[in-house]
Amino acid sequence: MNHVRDKEWLLKNLNQNKVRIADCRFSLAEPKKGKQDYLNDHVPGAVFFDLEHDLSGSVGNHGGRHPLPAVDELDVKLEKAGISNDTIVIAYDNGEGSYAARFWWLLQYLGHQQVYVLDGGYKSWREGNHPVTGDIPTFEKANFQVKLRSELLADVEEVKEAVEKQTKILIDSREEKRYLGLEEPIDKKAGHIPGAINKPWMNGLRDNKYLPVVEQKHRFSDIDPDSQIIVYCGSGVTAVPNFLTLKEAGFEKVKLYVGSFSDWISYEENKIE
């Protein structure tokens, strides 16, 4: 796979100076747990990036539950972590895939190419009895030049146009019962953006590891490879594994609606199915 690396790769490259590791563990139920877990132990050399404090901006009336962080602030944090445009970066979470993928997508959006997700996450790393530490690393400040790739991002206006003209495919990445509006544990309204199809993000993984490319292609075999696609979820986090696997399956025209359903429903005039 182009965007995923296994624990053997990380072990082999653990002490390479040009490699930086991002610990992105997080729990929506316990927002402080990821940072505490990191302080307890982590992959040697890993720097912690928090979903809500580092990889998201401030929540407002619009923008969803995990809006984009301020680019200049994220840039400073990357430089402090010793990440330059030439650095090879690998991100991990606890194996869910979504939190590390959020970091992966953000770096792609900022123009960084050599960034990967650790297959199986920290859980797989520990199961392999690979080294861990509680030491907090420090690095010399790097120089990261932002080159925004706007073609990876969709905003609410583009999604509205996609709904009206039906010229693009909307993929809802949430589990089916949320997509159908049968259950909504988080957002104030239930259902999905009109016209969206459902491709639950977790179906792209098995035992916390990404399915092989051939199986990813099968997941999306009902979609024309030349289609323009916009993926979304509840708040722009769990949609990213679908973004990643679509890219692995050979789809080129893929965008992430970062605000996702939580942003869509913040506009009273927006319809819901």
Side-chain angles (χ1 to χ4, degrees), residues 2-5 22 24 55 89-92 97-118 149 152 210 239-248 254 256:
N2 294 320
H3 307 293
V4 179
R5 292 292 181 266
C24 304
L55 308 181
V89 187
I90 183 164
Y92 68 85
S98 55
Y99 304 120
R102 168 80 171 206
F103 180 90
W104 169 86
W105 183 90
L106 280 169
L107 257 68
Q108 292 268 329
Y109 176 62
L110 296 185
H112 194 79
Q113 298 294 329
Q114 296 188 88
V115 56
Y116 308 99
V117 173
L118 177 64
R149 298 177 64 196
L152 303 184
Y210 282 93
V240 187
N242 264 349
F243 182 101
L244 186 153
T245 51
L246 279 160
K247 300 298 279 188
E248 294 284 6
V254 186
L256 173 68

Side-chain angles (χ1 to χ4, degrees), residues 82-103:
I83 297 174
S84 72
N85 299 79
D86 298 322
T87 307
I88 299 171
V89 187
I90 183 164
Y92 68 85
D93 47 32
N94 210 37
E96 306 90 347
S98 55
Y99 304 120
R102 168 80 171 206
F103 180 90

Side-chain angles (χ1 to χ4, degrees), residues 171-182:
I171 295 180
D172 188 313
S173 305
R174 299 170 300 166
E175 58 187 328
E176 186 181 40
K177 57 188 176 182
R178 291 184 68 192
Y179 166 77
L180 294 174
L182 301 176

Side-chain angles (χ1 to χ4, degrees), residues 167-196:
T167 53
K168 299 174 184 178
I169 294 177
L170 290 172
I171 295 180
D172 188 313
S173 305
R174 299 170 300 166
E175 58 187 328
E176 186 181 40
K177 57 188 176 182
R178 291 184 68 192
Y179 166 77
L180 294 174
L182 301 176
E183 181 179 305
E184 183 45 66
I186 304 174
D187 291 310
K188 295 179 180 179
K189 297 180 181 179
H192 60 267
I193 298 173

Side-chain angles (χ1 to χ4, degrees), residues 1-14 18-22 43 87-93 95 97 100-101 104 108 113-125 130 205 207-213 244-245 248:
M1 299 182 81
N2 294 320
H3 307 293
V4 179
R5 292 292 181 266
D6 59 25
K7 58 189 176 185
E8 288 75 23
W9 180 95
L10 180 54
L11 183 65
K12 181 180 177 181
N13 292 277
L14 194 59
K18 63 181 179 180
V19 174
R20 290 289 178 270
I21 307 164
V43 175
T87 307
I88 299 171
V89 187
I90 183 164
Y92 68 85
D93 47 32
W104 169 86
Q108 292 268 329
Q113 298 294 329
Q114 296 188 88
V115 56
Y116 308 99
V117 173
L118 177 64
D119 211 14
Y122 194 64
K123 180 181 178 183
S124 178
W125 181 262
H130 295 322
L205 294 94
D207 298 327
N208 297 127
K209 294 185 178 181
Y210 282 93
L211 299 178
V213 172
L244 186 153
T245 51
E248 294 284 6

Side-chain angles (χ1 to χ4, degrees), residues 224-239:
D224 185 340
D226 294 324
S227 300
Q228 297 184 60
I229 300 170
I230 299 174
V231 295
Y232 76 90
C233 55
S235 68
V237 178
T238 55

Side-chain angles (χ1 to χ4, degrees), residues 136-203:
I136 308 300
T138 57
F139 299 101
E140 288 188 17
K141 182 177 179 293
N143 180 27
F144 187 94
Q145 297 290 327
V146 173
K147 300 174 184 176
L148 286 183
R149 298 177 64 196
S150 57
E151 72 273 14
L152 303 184
L153 176 67
D155 60 16
V156 67
E157 294 304 320
E158 185 172 354
V159 176
K160 284 181 181 179
E161 183 180 2
V163 171
E164 293 169 4
K165 297 183 178 180
Q166 299 182 353
T167 53
K168 299 174 184 178
I169 294 177
L170 290 172
I171 295 180
D172 188 313
S173 305
R174 299 170 300 166
E175 58 187 328
E176 186 181 40
K177 57 188 176 182
R178 291 184 68 192
Y179 166 77
L180 294 174
L182 301 176
E183 181 179 305
E184 183 45 66
I186 304 174
D187 291 310
K188 295 179 180 179
K189 297 180 181 179
H192 60 267
I193 298 173
I197 63 174
N198 188 213
K199 298 286 184 181
W201 71 276
M202 67 289 294
N203 291 349

